[in-house]
Amino acid sequence: MVVQIHQVCLPSCFTKQSMDIYRIPSVTMFNKKNGNRKGSSSSVQVPRPSLETSARTVVIGEVTEVSQDTFWPLVNAAGHKIIVLDMYTQWCNPCKVIAPKFKELSQKFSDVLFLKLDCNQENKALAKELGLKVVPTFKILKDSKIIKEVTGAKFDNLAEAIDEVRSL
């Protein structure tokens, strides 16, 4: 059986039903054997929904590295999705400690996009624009606006802040 999606589905199109099964609107099932078509919403096993822009693809459940060139296009394409941005540097030990826990959060919250920005020389302008003072800093955005900020490698505070923004 072939599944043909008739529209570009952003993560907001998917309705999660169980671990990796999403309800996808506007699909047509096509049986190659007898040529029958069946159009309607249907449950389909998919690896994970993704958000695609011309700049980058973000996969739900994974952490995506961004730069000052790819950050705003992804944020704008995300629409009403919640975004958590990890602002870090390569040389920061607390940043290295919290990185695996940040990845763990990305797998826990399947309705949130997780991004990382290396605040190096190439991304200095964006870091300044976002008001970076210390690393690590986590910015939680919704509708292209910063809603909450957590500074330092405080895992519990970050998880609590994400839960709080999700409940808004």
Side-chain angles (χ1 to χ4, degrees):
M1 185 177 287
V2 175
V3 178
Q4 199 173 34
I5 299 177
H6 290 283
Q7 67 185 34
V8 176
C9 277
L10 298 177
S12 59
C13 296
F14 295 93
T15 308
K16 189 158 186 173
Q17 292 187 327
S18 65
M19 189 59 153
D20 281 330
I21 298 179
Y22 295 84
R23 193 100 176 126
I24 304 174
S26 184
V27 288
T28 298
M29 300 287 210
F30 181 72
N31 190 332
K32 280 187 171 182
K33 288 182 183 175
N34 59 20
N36 291 339
R37 289 177 178 256
K38 181 182 178 185
S40 69
S41 293
S42 182
S43 295
V44 182
Q45 184 90 18
V46 293
R48 291 196 198 291
S50 66
L51 172 64
E52 294 185 36
T53 68
S54 59
R56 190 81 181 192
T57 300
V58 176
V59 178
I60 305 292
E62 294 181 14
V63 178
T64 303
E65 188 77 33
V66 294
S67 68
Q68 66 184 26
D69 297 328
T70 60
F71 176 71
W72 285 115
L74 281 172
V75 169
N76 293 331
H80 299 298
K81 284 273 183 213
I82 296 169
I83 298 169
V84 181
L85 175 65
D86 175 6
M87 300 175 74
Y88 74 100
T89 60
Q90 299 278 336
W91 49 265
C92 167
N93 283 331
C95 297
K96 292 175 187 175
V97 169
I98 200 159
K101 294 179 179 181
F102 187 71
K103 182 174 172 92
E104 186 180 297
L105 284 175
S106 75
Q107 295 165 347
K108 178 182 177 187
F109 295 110
S110 62
D111 59 333
V112 177
L113 302 177
F114 287 81
L115 308 176
K116 287 181 76 85
L117 176 71
D118 186 354
C119 297
N120 56 20
Q121 199 61 32
E122 291 94 36
N123 297 317
K124 188 176 182 178
L126 179 59
K128 187 176 180 178
E129 178 185 343
L130 295 173
L132 179 69
K133 292 183 176 44
V134 299
V135 288
T137 292
F138 301 91
K139 304 276 185 173
I140 303 174
L141 298 93
K142 186 172 184 179
D143 297 321
S144 302
K145 295 181 184 114
I146 297 171
I147 305 293
K148 208 141 188 65
E149 177 180 297
V150 176
T151 57
K154 301 170 189 159
F155 178 77
D156 292 336
N157 292 3
L158 179 58
E160 187 177 297
I162 294 169
D163 268 335
E164 189 177 314
V165 172
R166 286 175 71 226
S167 67
L168 293 178

